[in-house]
Structures are given as C-alpha cells and as structure tokens.
Amino acid sequence: MINRFEGKVALVTGANSGIGQASALAFAREGASVVLAARRLEQGEETVRLIEKTRGTATFIKTDVSNSAEVEALIRATVETYGRLDFALNNAGTSGNLAPAAEMSEEEWDSVIGTNLKGVWLCLKQEIAVMTRQGGGSIVNMSSVLGLLGTSLGASAYVASKHAIIGLTKAAALEYAGQGIRINAICPGYIKTALIEPATNNPDVKSQLIAAHPIGRLGNPEEVAEAVVWLCSDAASFVTGHSLVVDGGYTAQ
Ligand code: NDP
C-alpha cells in the first residue's frame, strides 16, 4: 500500500548509512516526513537529497545520541519542524574496536555502551514524552542477533549492549502499552554495511559469516528496513515488547 504513512512523522537515528539510511528511505516511500539524526553533516545532507529525489520530505539534525542535551534538542526540533512524532527507529550504533573482554579499555567500553545502550534510552525517553502527549506512537530499537547470542569475535561490549536493548524494549513496552505506544526491537543477522566491513574485508571471516546464515548470504539493509516499516505500521497493531529476528536463519540453528 503506497502512502500509508501520509501525514506521519518518523525519526531515524543513525540515518547516515546502512540500515538507518535504508529505513529512512522506506519511511519516506510510505509517505512519512522523516527526521534524520547522526553526527556527520555531509552524509546527512546526502540522505536528505536521496529522499527529496524520490519526492519525499526529510530534515537532517546533527546529533550525537550519547549526549542527552543533543537528544533533547533533536526531539524539540522534530516537533517544531513537523508538529508531531509518530514513529522512531533508534538505530545509531557502533561496533567499537574489537578486543577480547579482558583487553578492552574502560574508555572503549563506555563509548560502545554510551552510544548503543544509553543512546537508545536517551532517545526513548524523549520520544515517549512526545508520544504520551499525542496519545500514541510506535518505536523500534535496533538490537542484533548478538542481542540473543554471543560471539568470540571480541565484541563483548557490543553484545552486552544489544542484549540490554532487548530488556529495555520489553520493560518500556510494558510500561507504555496502556498509552498507545508500541515498542519493539529488531535483531538483524549480519547485514552488508560499513559496520561489518572491518570483518568482511578479511575473505576468511566473510566466508565464515556467510556460512553462519542458512540462507547462504549476508543481508541487505533494505531487508531490515521492511521489518522496521511493518513494525511501525498498523499491520503490527497487536505487536509490542517483541524482538523480531531478520537473520536469514542465523538464530534458528
Ligand atoms: P553503519 O555504520 O552503516 O551505520 C551506523 C550509523 O549510526 C551511521 O549513520 C552513523 O553515522 C550513526 N552513528 C554512530 N554513532 C552515533 C552516535 N553516537 N550518534 C548518532 N549517530 C551515530 O552500520 P549499520 O547500518 O550496520 O548499523 C545500524 C545499526 O544496526 C547499529 O545499531 C548496529 O549495531 C545494528 N546492526 C547492524 C548489523 C550489521 O550486520 N550491519 C547487524 C545487527 C545490528 P555518523 O557516524 O555520521 O554519526
């Protein structure tokens, strides 16, 4: 159905590339006005241009999601610009520098948790405030298959943050279920984006990662974006507190 999000406003964090950019384009395709948040201005402006080329409406607001003042300013600007907030994809994330748990610095730990976990909570807090006033909305938090399983690739802070997002999603979903706000998570398998390039640049690691997906390939950002749009749509009106895998069978094994 085309334009089912006409008159709606969607916020996407981490919209400069990968899954966030694909999701922003998908929201715009469905007719929503889209607010894009990330740190690099030029990339943000490029995504706005991509959306405008398809006759969509978008605004980029430079934001570091780990900074509470910047997140408050983001939500304020969203409401000032478009008057409301219907959907939010809390997607900004980083893998950090890979290192075994005992060799990771405190600074690195704080940086990964600060963006991936605290950043999601800071956004959630401001989004819920607007949606409560409006009488409803739908929020999607970006977890991972590494929110359900571990890995020996040296990503313990990342794995911890993605597991925590699932817990945060369940708790917040229960707290706001009675107020018309649905809150879900998505757990993608390995998706072809800049995030996994350091790993997939090594052909052996790339083959191992492909082999871990029974479908026989890595995922595309657009395949995750479709799940985001579905979770936000009325088609998912009875779905909340759920973590949806989009993983080519990775976690079914
Ligand atoms: P990308 O690296 O392409 O995208 C990450 C995005 O987040 C960029 O737009 C980046 O823009 C933004 N970002 C990073 N840190 C911050 C910050 N502190 N504040 C605001 N924006 C930030 O990777 P993906 O698209 O793959 O990742 C998107 C999400 O999907 C992440 O949460 C990731 O953990 C998750 N995911 C990815 C998987 C994969 O295999 N690719 C698998 C499972 C989950 P900028 O640098 O300009 O701020």
Side-chain angles (χ1 to χ4, degrees):
M1 195 193 305
I2 302 294
N3 290 345
R4 62 182 155 169
F5 291 167
E6 197 71 58
K8 304 284 189 189
V9 178
L11 166 65
V12 178
T13 72
N16 272 354
S17 52
I19 296 168
Q21 186 182 64
S23 301
L25 283 157
F27 276 124
R29 178 198 72 204
E30 299 290 334
S33 300
V34 190
V35 176
L36 317 167
R39 295 164 303 176
R40 290 166 300 164
L41 180 64
E42 270 182 28
Q43 279 81 356
E45 288 174 345
E46 178 56 28
T47 307
V48 170
R49 273 194 292 277
L50 282 176
I51 290 176
E52 286 175 347
K53 258 196 215 163
T54 63
R55 300 194 176 181
T57 304
T59 303
F60 176 77
I61 299 171
K62 185 172 153 33
T63 311
D64 180 341
V65 296
S66 66
N67 181 310
S68 58
E70 291 190 26
V71 172
E72 277 176 44
L74 166 67
I75 303 296
R76 215 174 23 250
T78 299
V79 175
E80 275 168 17
T81 309
Y82 294 117
R84 54 188 295 113
L85 176 64
D86 300 284
F87 313 128
L89 172 61
N90 297 319
N91 162 80
T94 175
S95 59
N97 296 317
L98 300 185
E103 289 161 40
M104 188 178 300
S105 69
E106 186 176 349
E107 191 185 25
E108 187 67 22
W109 174 270
D110 286 344
S111 160
V112 172
I113 298 294
T115 294
N116 293 9
L117 178 56
K118 185 181 172 192
V120 168
W121 170 69
L122 287 173
C123 292
L124 202 60
K125 184 177 166 151
Q126 300 299 327
E127 292 154 4
I128 287 171
V130 176
M131 290 178 180
T132 305
R133 283 199 299 277
Q134 266 175 209
S138 177
I139 299 173
V140 176
N141 297 323
M142 194 54 70
S143 180
S144 166
V145 290
L146 297 182
L148 298 162
L149 304 168
T151 173
S152 58
L153 285 175
S156 57
Y158 183 87
V159 170
S161 72
K162 294 300 182 182
H163 274 70
I165 285 173
I166 292 179
L168 172 61
T169 299
K170 287 179 183 169
L174 296 178
E175 288 166 358
Y176 295 96
Q179 294 171 63
I181 304 173
R182 294 186 299 103
I183 306 174
N184 293 288
I186 293 187
C187 301
Y190 285 79
I191 309 298
K192 283 179 268 173
T193 70
L195 190 99
I196 64 161
E197 265 169 26
T200 52
N201 282 341
N202 177 328
D204 292 338
V205 175
K206 186 175 180 184
S207 309
Q208 280 169 29
L209 290 178
I210 290 172
H213 297 75
I215 276 184
R217 62 175 175 82
L218 303 179
N220 297 311
E222 293 74 18
E223 293 176 296
V224 182
E226 292 307 322
V228 172
V229 164
W230 179 75
L231 278 174
C232 287
S233 74
D234 286 344
S237 54
F238 205 50
V239 182
T240 197
H242 181 59
S243 297
L244 177 64
V245 295
V246 181
D247 70 350
Y250 187 104
T251 53
Q253 302 168 93

